[in-house]
Amino acid sequence: MTNGDLRRGRCGVCGGGEVYRGEYVAQGGLRPTGAGTFGAKQAVFDAFVCAVCGHTQLHVRLDARMSSHIRRKLTWVPPHQGNT
């Protein structure tokens, strides 16, 4: 991850060690970019917030159904290759 993984208890943005965990329930659901309100599926995220700078990360709780939904409905981003 570009700015570090807050799940480890340290902020990769400011270096702070005040990371708190909560829960975020998406009301609009998880859907492809530009899909409007159609095709929505409610997702529950673990939310990690740095109390020093406010940097936040959301991590979806994956089960087989959510993984299948993501693979069918969202756009895959291939891993970056090369030095640029």
Side-chain angles (χ1 to χ4, degrees):
M1 296 187 166
T2 306
N3 293 323
D5 192 338
L6 289 178
R7 292 177 290 188
R8 297 182 180 265
R10 177 132 338 254
C11 180
V13 174
C14 74
E18 281 191 71
V19 175
Y20 295 86
R21 178 182 178 185
E23 187 177 85
Y24 175 78
V25 179
Q27 296 298 317
L30 185 60
R31 59 184 177 251
T33 304
T37 58
F38 299 108
K41 178 174 173 51
Q42 186 176 11
V44 178
F45 296 87
D46 286 321
F48 295 84
V49 182
C50 174
V52 176
C53 73
H55 179 65
T56 303
Q57 289 179 352
L58 299 176
H59 297 270
V60 70
R61 293 183 185 167
L62 283 177
D63 57 16
R65 188 172 171 182
M66 182 58 74
S67 285
S68 177
H69 175 77
I70 289 168
R71 289 182 176 112
R72 281 190 335 272
K73 300 291 185 179
L74 303 182
T75 303
W76 179 62
V77 179
H80 178 72
Q81 301 292 322
N83 295 330
T84 57

